[in-house]
Amino acid sequence: MRDKLLFTPGPLTTSATVKSAMLHDAGSRDAAFLDKVREIRKRLLALGQAVSSSDGGEYECVLMQGSGTFAIESVISSAIPRDGKLLVLVNGAYGRRIGQMARVHGIATEMMETPENSSISPEAVAERLSGSSGITHVAVVHCETTTGILNPIEEIGERVQRSGPAYIVDAMSSFGAIPVDLPAARIDFLISSANKCIEGVPGFGFVLARHNRLLEAKGQARTLSLDLYAQWAGLESDGQFRFTPPTHALLAFHQALVELEAEGGLRARLARYRANHGALMRGMSEMGFDAYLAPEDQSCIITTFRYPEDPGFRFERFYQRLSELGFIIYPGKLTSEPCFRIGAIGHLFPPDIDALLGCIRRVLEEMNVDPAMRSPVLQRFPN
Ligand SMILES: *Cc1c(COP(=O)(O)O)cnc(C)c1O
C-alpha cells in the first residue's frame, strides 16, 4: 500500500530508495559506516559554501542525535558563555522556542519581536544592537515555518557582524533548498536537520559552525549529551559519535544527499519546490482560499491559509477526510488567527500537488463549503 503523502513541515515524504537504504544494520565503529559519516559531513559543508578547517577553510560540521530542536539546543547551551547574553529575533513559534531554551539554561536573553506576518528588518536589528549592551550572540530563524516567511539572513548577518556578536541561524526548514552562503552571510552557527529539505528521515540534526567559535565553546556546555564541542571533538578524533548514532537514519541521509546531487543540487531542488508551491497557490486561490502572508514575503517551503469564513468549515473534518484520501496537511501555529498549513517540500512533485488540490475540492463539496464565500459581516462592511 502506498504511504500517505506528507504536505507538512517535517517529517516529510521520502523516496523509496532513501527508505530502502535503511534496510541494513551498520556497526557504529565499522569502517564503511564511518566513511559515510565522513562523506555526509563533507557534503553538508559544501552545500553551505563552507570549507572545513582541515581543508584550509573556517568551518566544521557536527552531527547531533535527536530532532532538529536538539541540535539547536546543543548550540544554545554550548556556545553562549556563563556571562554571555543572547538576543533572539522572533517572528514566529520557532524563534520563541529558542528564547524558551535559553531561559531553561539560565542564559540572559532578550527577545526582539516582529509581527508574525512581517520579515525581520535588518535596520531594526542594527538599531537594537546599538541600543543594548552586553549582547554576545544573536539568533534568528531563516524560514519561520510557523507561517512560511523568509527572514533576510545575509543582511541581518552583516549588521550583526558589524556590532560583534556571534550569529546563530536556525535554517531547519530551508537548508538544502534555499541557497545559503555561510561565509557571505557571516554565519557562525547554522542548524538544520536530516528530515527537511535534504529529504532524509528523522533521527539527527547538524550544525555548521565556524571553527574558532566552536573552540570557544569548549568546556561551556550545560549538558553532557548536547555538548557541541565534545561531539565535534569526538567526530574529529575517531570519526565516531560519542553515544549510539542513528545508524539507519545516517544511511538514509547519505542516500538522500546522493539523490540531491543527482537531481541537480540545490538549484534543481529549489526549482521543484517552487513548481510545487506555484501549483498549490494557483489551485488554492482558484478555490477562494486566502493566504496569510503577502506574496512577496511567502517562501516556497510552506504556506499558511486562513480558515474559510463559511460557517460549515470544520478543520478537524477537513483534515480527517484528506487523510483518508491519502494526504496529510498540517494545523496552523499562529497566535492570532485560525489557519492551516500546506508544505511544498519533501519528495513531492507538481502532479502530487494537483492530486491534493483535486481532493481538497472534493472534500469542500462534501462539507458544502465555499472558501470564496465571505462572512455576512465582512460583506456588509467590506473595509
Ligand atoms: C522543524 C523545525 C525545527 C525543529 O523541529 P523538530 O521537531 O525538533 O525537528 C526548528 N526550527 C524550524 C524553523 C523548523 O522548521
Side-chain angles (χ1 to χ4, degrees):
M1 213 183 74
R2 196 180 170 197
D3 290 338
K4 294 176 186 179
L5 297 178
L6 307 178
F7 295 85
T8 67
L12 302 172
T13 293
T14 55
S15 70
T17 35
V18 163
K19 284 188 273 284
S20 59
M22 290 188 287
L23 298 176
H24 298 281
D25 301 314
S28 63
R29 305 164 67 95
D30 178 68
F33 173 71
L34 296 184
D35 279 348
K36 287 201 164 149
V37 171
R38 202 169 304 118
E39 198 187 323
I40 286 170
R41 294 174 63 211
K42 205 172 165 145
R43 280 179 186 251
L44 287 174
L45 285 166
L47 287 178
Q49 309 296 318
V51 177
S52 75
S53 69
S54 56
D55 289 329
E58 292 180 66
Y59 285 91
E60 307 295 346
C61 175
V62 191
L63 307 177
M64 184 63 76
Q65 296 95 325
S67 84
T69 303
F70 292 60
I72 299 175
E73 191 155 7
S74 81
V75 172
I76 299 298
S77 62
S78 303
I80 303 167
R82 294 294 184 278
D83 58 354
K85 190 198 244 183
L86 175 67
L87 172 66
V88 191
L89 312 177
V90 180
N91 60 343
Y94 291 98
R96 280 193 292 277
R97 187 184 290 176
I98 295 177
Q100 207 181 347
M101 245 173 226
R103 280 192 293 274
V104 165
H105 292 287
I107 294 165
T109 305
E110 286 184 23
M111 310 283 267
M112 185 185 118
E113 302 262 359
T114 302
E116 286 178 331
N117 61 355
S118 310
S119 69
I120 294 166
S121 147
E123 290 73 31
V125 174
E127 220 170 281
R128 177 71 179 241
L129 285 171
S130 69
S132 340
S133 67
I135 290 174
T136 56
H137 292 70
V138 175
V140 69
V141 179
H142 187 200
C143 175
E144 187 35 278
T145 324
T146 309
T147 55
I149 205 165
L150 215 52
N151 286 316
I153 54 169
E154 293 216 2
E155 290 81 355
I156 295 172
E158 201 184 308
R159 306 306 198 286
V160 171
Q161 193 196 40
R162 229 180 272 163
S163 19
Y167 187 36
I168 301 168
V169 176
D170 167 356
M172 205 69 67
S173 62
S174 56
F175 192 77
I178 298 171
V180 180
D181 181 323
L182 271 94
R186 281 93 160 168
I187 297 173
D188 293 300
F189 299 93
L190 176 142
I191 306 116
S192 187
S193 91
N195 63 283
K196 299 237 175 171
C197 297
I198 300 176
E199 300 183 2
V201 305
F204 66 96
F206 53 87
V207 180
L208 305 181
R210 202 186 287 276
H211 180 77
N212 62 352
R213 295 291 194 186
L214 197 53
L215 295 184
E216 285 169 17
K218 184 176 182 178
Q220 279 184 178
R222 293 160 178 83
T223 72
L224 175 73
S225 57
L226 296 177
D227 185 334
L228 186 70
Y229 174 86
Q231 184 86 344
W232 171 70
L235 284 164
E236 284 296 299
S237 71
D238 56 10
Q240 295 177 27
F241 283 70
R242 290 177 301 149
F243 311 117
T244 304
T247 46
H248 299 80
L250 285 156
L251 294 177
F253 192 66
H254 183 270
Q255 176 65 23
L257 284 167
V258 169
E259 291 180 16
L260 172 60
E261 184 179 299
E263 184 173 353
L266 298 183
R267 196 193 294 227
R269 180 132 314 170
L270 182 61
R272 172 159 63 84
Y273 289 171
R274 282 193 171 142
N276 288 347
H277 176 251
L280 178 70
M281 296 308 273
R282 277 190 299 281
M284 293 297 277
S285 74
E286 270 169 30
M287 280 183 262
F289 281 100
D290 189 16
Y292 171 73
L293 291 177
E296 62 272 21
D297 289 322
Q298 177 66 58
S299 71
C300 64
I301 303 291
I302 191 163
T303 308
T304 302
F305 296 98
R306 294 192 170 90
Y307 282 10
E309 285 166 18
D310 191 318
F313 183 79
R314 290 283 175 279
F315 179 72
E316 284 313 315
R317 176 91 191 119
F318 183 63
Y319 175 91
Q320 190 51 39
R321 281 296 293 138
L322 287 173
S323 169
E324 285 162 14
L325 295 167
F327 302 91
I328 302 290
I329 62 166
Y330 219 64
K333 210 174 189 165
L334 287 185
T335 45
S336 55
E337 50 187 308
C339 59
F340 63 90
R341 289 178 287 173
I342 299 183
I345 56 177
H347 195 67
L348 299 173
F349 299 81
D352 298 316
I353 302 285
D354 292 340
L356 169 69
L357 290 166
C359 288
I360 290 178
R361 279 195 193 89
R362 178 174 156 186
V363 172
L364 290 173
E365 270 174 33
E366 288 174 12
M367 297 173 80
N368 204 11
V369 163
D370 177 7
M373 187 179 113
R374 299 286 171 248
S375 80
V377 177
L378 290 183
Q379 277 167 15
R380 254 180 287 133
F381 307 104
N383 297 316

